[in-house]
Amino acid sequence: MKNKIGIVGGGQLGKMLTLEAKRLGFTVVILDPTRKSPAAQVSDYQLVADFKNEKAIKRLAELTDYITFEIELANADILNEISKLGAKVNPSAKTLNIIKDRLKQKEFLVKNNIPVAPFRNVNNRENILESAKKLGYPILLKARLDAYDGRGNVLIKDEKEIDDALEKLVDRELFLEGFVSFKKELAVMIARSSKGEIAVYPVVETVHKNSICHTVFAPAPVDTAIQKKAKNLAIKVIKVLKGAGVFGIEMFLTKDNKVLVNEIAPRVHNSGHYSIEACLTSQFEQHIRAITGLPLGRTDMVVSAAVMINILGERHGQSELKGLEKALKLPNVSVHIYGKTETRIERKMGHITAIDSSLKKAYNKALIARKLISI
Ligand code: AMP
């Protein structure tokens, strides 16, 4: 029986995927450069190597039946090569190749008639100045590659801030984006199995600070017409992308109720963590089902409201969890600690999900729990 899964990346997403894969009886091998990475702590075996290491990716393919990734830093070229040799890589390496370059991703979306914020390809002060005239300040200077959790976006409020922004993103390939003064940020997790089945999760609202996700409200407090619009947009997006798996589609809801795609993640996503406690099938189980050709599970929420708050690091140094006991005294509060030995300011160290009869109640409870925990 084909029951071995290889995951490129061993962070918290890999860990939560592994836990679900193990529950379904799979064997899991992780490829990650950090020894005892969060996912390796719960997997069967870890290959300790860089995400881009050709030899290690090929070894991963030899050891397993299904290959997936939890990080866009995975080597798309090698994944493409091994899939040509017969490895089952999902989502497809072609999809990863488009998505990991945020400029290529935007161009691809425009080509497929999917609405996005206005953007320009820029690489120096002069063409930033020129493009800013068209887009109008404020603008966001963005790195094309390896830009997750806010590492790669710089806001430029006026001409005087251009040099500073260029300094912050020195040596990186860039593009420029018009600032969307959105009403809300929304996200939709959507899955497609290797058999072609599609399952859409409820629309959620995400709240970011400094380009990092802090809070997720499920379901999003928006009317049903907007929920429908967001879900239909997510379906349109997945139909133009190849491969099986769960995809996270981040969106902006503009003041005139238009829904734009901000960014696609070809993988499970922070905005879907709430599904562990709040949906019939979590995004992690769904991804495992999707890439192994199992039937997809139902995505309905099993509670009225869920709020997820990230536990972000607040200092640099050895992590030390405190306050778990007090937080867990709160009813219907779940705490997830990722098992990272080093904490850093704004590093994702864990998350809390609270469920309740209303978003307000769930939010208050999640907030109390968050304040009780330090790491
Ligand atoms: P990104 O990593 O580009 O998805 O950005 C992370 C967060 O930065 C988003 O969730 C928004 O809160 C903010 N952001 C990114 N692009 C824009 C934009 N064009 N206009 C306004 N806010 C943005």
Side-chain angles (χ1 to χ4, degrees), residues 102 106 117-118 140 142 147-150 153 155 175 177-182 185 206-213 250 252 262-263:
R102 301 198 295 169
K106 293 262 144 94
L140 272 155
K142 293 189 170 187
Y148 53 95
D149 294 345
N153 287 358
L155 183 70
F175 71 106
E177 204 171 273
F179 189 85
V180 181
S181 55
F182 51 80
E185 286 191 78
T206 59
V207 177
H208 291 73
K209 288 179 205 156
N210 294 331
S211 292
I212 298 180
C213 178
E250 294 186 274
F252 295 128
N262 169 31
E263 203 154 84

Side-chain angles (χ1 to χ4, degrees), residues 5-275:
I5 297 175
I7 306 178
V8 181
Q12 64 270 18
L13 301 177
K15 181 179 182 182
M16 292 183 273
L17 281 170
T18 302
L19 289 170
E20 289 306 318
K22 294 302 301 171
R23 195 166 60 77
L24 290 171
F26 289 94
T27 295
V28 181
V29 182
I30 299 293
L31 190 165
D32 193 282
T34 308
R35 215 169 273 281
K36 295 210 176 125
S37 61
Q41 293 168 23
V42 294
S43 73
D44 295 275
Y45 187 65
Q46 176 179 10
L47 294 170
V48 181
D50 191 80
F51 312 116
K52 295 197 185 341
N53 185 311
E54 179 174 347
K55 225 168 112 189
I57 296 174
K58 288 187 171 163
R59 181 77 189 124
L60 188 69
E62 279 166 16
L63 291 172
T64 58
D65 306 305
Y66 306 97
I67 300 268
T68 190
F69 45 87
E70 57 112 56
I71 188 159
E72 282 89 332
L73 291 172
N75 190 330
D77 295 336
I78 305 301
L79 289 174
N80 193 29
E81 196 184 318
I82 61 169
S83 61
K84 278 192 190 143
L85 296 170
K88 287 199 170 76
V89 179
N90 274 300
S92 96
K94 280 197 185 98
T95 296
L96 174 62
N97 204 24
I98 295 166
I99 289 180
K100 70 174 188 174
D101 179 336
R102 301 198 295 169
L103 176 61
K104 225 194 241 182
Q105 182 190 136
K106 293 262 144 94
E107 287 168 347
F108 175 81
L109 291 172
V110 168
K111 208 173 76 194
N112 286 287
N113 287 321
I114 289 161
V116 295
F119 62 91
R120 296 280 188 286
N121 185 357
V122 296
N123 43 38
N124 60 38
R125 190 175 196 285
E126 283 64 47
N127 49 38
I128 292 177
L129 256 178
E130 200 53 39
S131 301
K133 272 188 213 150
K134 303 219 172 71
L135 297 173
Y137 293 97
I139 43 175
L140 272 155
L141 190 61
K142 293 189 170 187
R144 288 172 63 167
L145 298 165
D146 304 345
Y148 53 95
D149 294 345
R151 278 166 263 172
N153 287 358
V154 183
L155 183 70
I156 301 176
K157 291 202 243 22
D158 58 44
E159 199 181 316
K160 288 189 285 257
E161 294 186 351
I162 295 178
D163 288 333
D164 240 24
L166 279 169
E167 182 75 15
K168 281 190 184 131
L169 296 177
V170 71
D171 290 336
R172 299 179 73 171
E173 287 181 85
L174 306 167
F175 71 106
L176 197 65
E177 204 171 273
F179 189 85
V180 181
S181 55
F182 51 80
K183 197 152 73 175
K184 279 184 191 304
E185 286 191 78
L186 305 175
V188 179
M189 304 304 304
I190 184 163
R192 179 177 46 223
S193 77
S194 54
K195 304 255 163 76
E197 203 184 338
I198 286 180
V200 192
Y201 280 84
V203 182
V204 299
E205 178 182 359
T206 59
V207 177
H208 291 73
K209 288 179 205 156
N210 294 331
S211 292
I212 298 180
C213 178
H214 275 242
T215 314
V216 174
F217 295 88
V222 293
D223 64 40
T224 46
I226 288 171
Q227 291 190 20
K228 211 166 156 193
K229 224 189 246 185
K231 281 189 177 182
N232 285 340
L233 188 56
I235 293 168
K236 194 169 170 189
V237 169
I238 204 175
K239 287 201 169 151
V240 297
L241 292 171
K242 292 199 166 52
V246 166
F247 294 75
I249 321 290
E250 294 186 274
M251 304 172 183
F252 295 128
L253 174 64
T254 66
K255 293 200 168 122
D256 51 355
N257 286 339
K258 289 204 180 85
V259 184
L260 313 175
V261 170
N262 169 31
E263 203 154 84
I264 302 165
R267 54 171 169 79
V268 285
H269 190 260
N270 199 171
S271 57
H273 290 359
Y274 78 96
S275 62

